[in-house]
Amino acid sequence: AEGLNLCTSGSATSCEECLLIHPKCAWCSKEDFGSTKSITSRCDFLQNLIANGCAGAIENPSSSISVVKNVPLSSKGSGQSHLDVTQITPQKVALNLRPGDQTSFRVQVRQVEDYPVDLYYLMDLSLSMNDDLDNIRNLGTKLAEEMRKLTSNFRLGFGSFVDKNISPFSYTAPRYQNNPCIGYKLFPSCVPSFGFRHLLSLTDKVDRFNEEVRKQKVSRNRDAPEGGFDAILQAAVCKEKIGWRKEASHLLVFTTDDVPHIALDGKLGGLVQPHDGQCHLNEANEYSASSQLDYPSLALLGEKLAENNIHLIFAVTKSHYMLYKNFTTLIPGTTVEILHKDSKNIIELIVKAYNSIRSKVELTVWDSPEDIGLTFTATCQDGLSYPGLRKCGDLKIGDTVSFEVAVEARSCPADDTSHTFTIKPAGFRDTLEVAVTYSCLCGCTGRAAPASAKCSGNGTYACGLCECDPGYLGARCECEEGASGDLHHALCREAEGKPLCSGRGECSCNQCLCYESEFGNIYGPFCECDDFSCARYKGVLCSGHGECHCGECKCHAGYIGDNCNCSTETDSCVSSDGQMCSGRGACVCGKCQCTEPGAFGETCEKCPTCPGVCSTKRDCIECKLFNSGRLADNQTCQKHCKDEIITTVDVLETDDPNAIVCAYPVNNCVMKFTYLELPSGKSNLTVLKEPACSSAPSAVTIVLAVIGSVVLIGIILLALWKLLVTIHDRREFDRFQSERSRARYEMASNPLYRKPISTHNVEFTFNKLNKSYNGTVD
């Protein structure tokens, strides 16, 4: 093979070390293997060992799988013995794993029709829920009618809660002991506060449910949060008293109109002991540890609900929807629905949540060993494979989905160690048990010969090599420690001119004895390798996802790259619509890199400038506001539109430069809305309450408009004509004046013009009175 030979470069000194280097490495246990003139590695690829003459003495175990139990999937739930219903196949497999050698098996899951259902109704009986209590007094009968359309085997139970009856959570003064509502004008009488009270075990007699509900009265606590998480935990772990059946689907409906107390809140009342996750119902079926234990944590709730295969349904008022929606991401297998303030929609809510639960399958893994790597590939109803996914949605009852599960051991545990882990669909009682053993020992190791003559009597011969006793060295244990000589130094150099043992060891008896290092192990025939000089990521060797072998990171399954910092998982890149990076980017190292200009978000789901964004937002508007459109039928509206905040207005403001204006036709009208991305990652959609419609103009209006247009055009044309004539005349007059000013003679100097009056001058001289006169006579 070309390039680096991982097997020979690993410098394995035993068969077991060779098997750990790479799953394709094999070991030659033949005694006289190799040439006397060169060192031939016993750890090499299989084809190389065969080519070098080691056929018949090769240790090369591989991973294997055997199916121990494989009962076929059932088709119906209530038509046969419930304990025989099978919803996952196979039920048990046994794996024998060689480290690094991946093996896989296929799992099929089907939600059978007519599966039994146990539903426990857990109600908040604080004072604000009084009107809700009135509306569910006949809930049992109506709910049973609706649920029997989905299953013929339905049972119903009932429990209630308020809060811990200690200060500061409840009124504890003596005057409030029997009636905490004293002095409260709106509701002067109520029962004392309590933590949790189990009122009706699961039963198919729904009339008893109605009877218990009619008996209930509300109570009053001091602060706004309720003690509902105490009640949820007790309802989950007190299996015998509640009456959960192993062969049924378990639904726990939690109804409240306020926020819950969570772990550490109990310190306000002096409760410092964490919840132990155990059942604490006394003979009166009341929670007896309410005043001793703190509220349970979200992690503890999730663990106990999953352990008992319970689907939790939060039925909460609209003002607290987002808080409980966030809880669902922390508690697997839970859903949340909006409850009307008077609980009138509770039946519709439960049926909707049940259908939502039954429309999806998600695999969970329990007790997975740390040295085992698991990868899933889902094949859903569309027939396509989705690497990295372990869930399928939009399923119908009776649909079968499959998952390819790839298993790889990263290392070898202690000798004779075996592990068992469980794969189960969330909320199912059916499980797949996986037993794991490890193929880490070579067969030739079991045939080891102590004090063998092949090892000069100074060592144990196994797998073609001598393991020398303390104080002896050499291929045949022929040297004692400390023996040295210049003739042997050349055998301790990797190449001519290089330092002895790479400068990291001493040459003794033709062999390099590598120094110890505080950073890790130095090894190799010439001490040229170590397990600490590999690439790091954020200061962590091989990013913590691989092993360092002779300067190169060998990544664990699911990681690639020079420093193993790049994950190959794609779960985090799948958007809510099932596409990889919303079709606008590529999944690189477990994160979406958006390639579409303007796209952003964890899965490139935000893209205000992308083509078709208005169409996507339109689907959410239609399904959320009008329960119509392509998302309304397949019940995926909440899934696809979870980040959309929709507001209706009478007049649409379009002044915001960051908002995008969209419009689409509706029955000869136009529905307009604006779309704005918020810093929180959500989208703000502002929609007109009603589509904008324009009325058709009357015939008279059209005639008058045409006449007016003709007249207006005529006036404009006349004005233009007058303007052009005026301009022309002015130009002609100006030209005339210019030519006149350039004339050669004025009127007064015209030689052809004579005045009608002529003037003559006559000169004469006369004397009068001895005076002489000169003059002129005209």
Side-chain angles (χ1 to χ4, degrees):
E2 296 181 359
L4 177 67
N5 188 323
L6 296 176
C7 305
T8 57
S9 64
S11 300
T13 59
S14 68
C15 182
E16 283 74 18
E17 288 182 11
C18 177
L19 299 185
L20 288 174
I21 293 174
H22 192 273
K24 291 187 177 180
C25 293
W27 178 268
C28 179
S29 61
K30 191 175 180 180
E31 179 182 354
D32 55 349
F33 176 69
S35 168
T36 57
K37 295 182 179 180
S38 64
I39 299 174
T40 303
S41 175
R42 292 180 177 273
C43 184
D44 206 337
F45 293 115
L46 177 63
Q47 62 270 27
N48 293 343
L49 293 178
I50 295 175
N52 291 329
C54 191
I58 297 177
E59 297 286 340
N60 185 28
S62 60
S63 298
S64 61
I65 177 173
S66 62
V67 178
V68 179
K69 184 178 181 182
N70 188 16
V71 178
L73 294 171
S74 304
S75 57
K76 299 194 84 174
S78 296
Q80 53 186 300
S81 174
H82 303 319
L83 294 176
D84 295 333
V85 174
T86 302
Q87 298 185 99
I88 185 172
T89 186
Q91 293 79 42
K92 185 174 183 180
V93 297
L95 304 177
N96 183 258
L97 301 179
R98 174 180 171 178
D101 187 19
Q102 189 179 85
T103 187
S104 62
F105 56 90
R106 183 169 290 275
V107 179
Q108 289 186 313
V109 182
R110 176 192 296 162
Q111 298 222 44
V112 300
E113 299 178 14
D114 198 20
Y115 198 71
V117 175
D118 287 347
L119 188 151
Y120 192 78
Y121 192 89
L122 188 57
M123 185 175 182
D124 178 3
L125 283 187
S126 58
L127 195 58
S128 57
M129 294 287 284
N130 184 53
D131 55 343
D132 301 72
L133 185 60
D134 294 335
N135 286 326
I136 69 164
R137 296 194 185 279
N138 294 314
L139 172 67
T141 304
K142 296 177 182 177
L143 181 58
E145 290 176 358
E146 291 297 323
M147 290 300 295
R148 282 181 179 137
K149 296 177 183 178
L150 305 173
T151 175
S152 61
N153 194 334
F154 175 69
R155 299 200 310 167
L156 190 61
F158 182 61
S160 61
F161 66 90
V162 182
D163 206 347
K164 295 181 183 294
N165 193 20
I166 59 174
S167 182
F169 311 118
S170 297
Y171 293 92
T172 56
R175 65 189 295 257
Y176 294 118
Q177 286 298 313
N178 296 321
N179 181 12
C181 293
I182 288 179
Y184 189 61
K185 294 181 180 180
L186 297 178
F187 205 91
S189 178
C190 59
V191 299
S193 179
F194 56 92
F196 165 63
R197 187 174 291 158
H198 169 53
L199 300 169
L200 177 65
S201 297
L202 291 162
T203 177
D204 56 2
K205 298 177 176 59
V206 295
D207 291 339
R208 291 189 57 195
F209 180 91
N210 296 337
E211 291 174 7
E212 287 297 332
V213 173
R214 293 189 186 102
K215 294 177 185 177
Q216 303 311 307
K217 294 182 179 180
V218 295
S219 181
R220 184 187 182 199
N221 58 324
R222 172 171 285 175
D223 59 350
E226 318 292 4
F229 280 6
D230 269 343
I232 291 175
L233 186 63
Q234 293 304 298
V237 299
C238 298
K239 296 179 287 187
E240 290 76 14
K241 293 202 172 187
I242 302 297
W244 297 115
R245 293 177 292 179
K246 291 183 179 180
E247 67 277 9
S249 179
H250 303 158
L251 303 182
L252 178 57
V253 180
F254 176 82
T255 61
T256 185
D257 64 349
D258 221 317
V259 299
H261 279 298
I262 58 176
L264 301 182
D265 284 359
K267 287 188 175 182
L268 296 173
L271 306 181
V272 296
Q273 184 176 351
H275 206 291
D276 57 6
Q278 302 299 315
C279 178
H280 294 284
L281 292 184
N282 58 22
E283 294 180 357
N285 285 331
E286 291 191 359
Y287 179 39
S288 59
S290 181
S291 57
Q292 286 87 40
L293 300 178
D294 191 9
Y295 298 97
S297 65
L298 293 173
L300 182 60
L301 277 182
E303 177 186 339
K304 295 303 177 182
L305 289 170
E307 186 178 298
N308 294 284
N309 307 319
I310 295 175
H311 290 287
L312 176 62
I313 302 172
F314 287 124
V316 298
T317 51
K318 188 174 182 180
S319 59
H320 301 298
Y321 174 81
M322 288 311 301
L323 172 66
Y324 285 90
K325 182 69 173 176
N326 293 333
F327 285 158
T328 63
T329 62
L330 302 173
I331 307 176
T334 60
T335 57
V336 59
E337 299 290 345
I338 296 177
L339 179 71
H340 293 173
K341 290 187 177 180
D342 54 5
S343 294
K344 284 186 177 180
N345 70 325
I346 186 63
I347 294 178
E348 175 189 350
L349 182 153
I350 292 173
V351 172
K352 180 180 178 182
Y354 176 73
N355 287 329
S356 174
I357 291 169
R358 295 279 280 169
S359 69
K360 58 188 176 184
V361 169
E362 181 176 4
L363 296 187
T364 60
V365 181
W366 290 66
D367 303 323
S368 176
E370 292 183 359
D371 59 352
I372 294 291
L374 295 173
T375 55
F376 293 82
T377 300
T379 304
C380 302
Q381 281 304 106
D382 56 7
L384 301 177
S385 295
Y386 297 95
L389 283 184
R390 60 174 71 180
K391 61 182 177 181
C392 288
D394 298 331
L395 303 177
K396 296 179 182 178
I397 302 300
D399 286 347
T400 302
V401 294
S402 63
F403 301 88
E404 189 78 17
V405 184
V407 188
E408 179 181 345
R410 299 192 184 104
S411 61
C412 278
D415 294 344
D416 299 326
T417 297
S418 62
H419 290 120
T420 299
F421 64 93
T422 302
I423 297 176
K424 67 186 292 271
F428 286 48
R429 70 174 177 85
D430 303 73
T431 62
L432 165 59
E433 181 181 331
V434 183
V436 180
T437 55
Y438 299 86
S439 182
C440 294
L441 296 178
C442 298
C444 57
T445 303
R447 301 188 294 271
S452 172
K454 298 177 181 179
C455 303
S456 307
N458 300 320
T460 300
Y461 179 80
C463 299
L465 293 178
C466 285
E467 184 179 346
C468 299
D469 296 335
Y472 292 91
L473 299 171
R476 297 298 178 188
C477 306
E478 70 277 14
C479 298
E480 295 186 23
E481 288 185 3
S484 62
D486 295 336
L487 296 176
H488 304 302
H489 282 180
L491 299 177
C492 294
R493 300 181 192 272
E494 188 174 6
E496 185 70 25
K498 288 197 173 183
L500 287 173
C501 301
S502 304
R504 303 199 293 181
E506 294 180 354
C507 185
S508 176
C509 195
N510 307 336
Q511 290 185 339
C512 286
L513 300 179
C514 301
Y515 297 140
E516 293 184 358
S517 172
E518 60 180 355
F519 302 108
N521 295 324
I522 300 174
Y523 59 93
F526 309 102
C527 302
E528 75 278 11
C529 293
D530 59 59
D531 59 3
F532 53 83
S533 297
C534 291
R536 298 173 182 264
Y537 180 69
K538 294 184 177 179
V540 180
L541 190 67
C542 298
S543 307
H545 302 305
E547 307 295 335
C548 181
H549 290 291
C550 203
E552 183 179 359
C553 287
K554 311 296 182 186
C555 302
H556 296 159
Y559 293 91
I560 58 175
D562 293 339
N563 54 10
C564 303
N565 70 323
C566 184
S567 172
T568 59
E569 290 287 336
T570 59
D571 281 359
S572 57
C573 293
V574 178
S575 57
S576 60
D577 59 0
Q579 295 190 77
M580 194 66 65
C581 297
S582 304
R584 301 182 183 123
C587 189
V588 179
C589 297
K591 294 182 179 180
C592 281
Q593 290 187 358
C594 304
T595 56
E596 184 80 20
F600 63 97
E602 290 186 0
T603 58
C604 304
E605 73 281 8
K606 308 296 182 184
C607 186
T609 59
C610 289
V613 68
C614 286
S615 176
T616 303
K617 302 303 177 184
R618 167 187 174 177
D619 292 337
C620 291
I621 291 172
E622 288 182 340
C623 77
K624 276 197 167 185
L625 292 185
F626 310 111
N627 195 27
S628 63
R630 68 180 186 88
L631 299 182
D633 296 336
N634 56 13
Q635 300 178 351
T636 57
C637 186
Q638 290 297 332
K639 174 182 175 182
H640 287 272
C641 306
K642 64 180 184 301
D643 292 333
E644 315 299 339
I645 303 173
I646 301 178
T647 307
T648 57
V649 295
D650 293 319
V651 179
L652 194 65
E653 299 290 341
T654 59
D655 299 335
D656 191 342
N658 296 320
I660 296 175
V661 181
C662 300
Y664 62 91
V666 178
N667 298 328
N668 298 323
C669 300
V670 177
M671 175 63 81
K672 294 183 178 181
F673 64 93
T674 59
Y675 161 46
L676 178 65
E677 292 290 351
L678 301 177
S680 62
K682 297 185 178 296
S683 302
N684 190 12
L685 304 180
T686 305
V687 190
L688 283 174
K689 287 183 178 179
E690 298 293 338
C693 301
S694 58
S695 58
S698 63
V700 176
T701 304
I702 294 174
V703 172
L704 292 177
V706 171
I707 294 173
S709 300
V710 172
V711 172
L712 180 61
I713 292 171
I715 293 173
I716 293 172
L717 292 175
L718 285 173
L720 288 173
W721 175 80
K722 181 63 177 175
L723 178 63
L724 292 174
V725 169
T726 302
I727 293 173
H728 180 267
D729 289 348
R730 287 183 179 275
R731 287 180 176 175
E732 287 296 320
F733 181 75
D734 290 342
R735 188 170 63 182
F736 169 76
Q737 291 285 17
S738 176
E739 291 177 353
R740 182 182 177 186
S741 65
R742 291 197 302 271
R744 184 173 181 182
Y745 302 105
E746 297 290 341
M747 266 187 196
S749 62
N750 192 341
L752 299 178
Y753 176 78
R754 288 183 180 271
K755 289 184 179 181
I757 301 173
S758 60
T759 303
H760 302 275
N761 296 326
V762 180
E763 293 184 2
F764 61 91
T765 303
F766 63 93
N767 292 321
K768 187 178 181 180
L769 298 180
N770 298 323
K771 292 183 180 178
S772 297
Y773 296 91
N774 291 327
T776 301
V777 179
D778 293 331

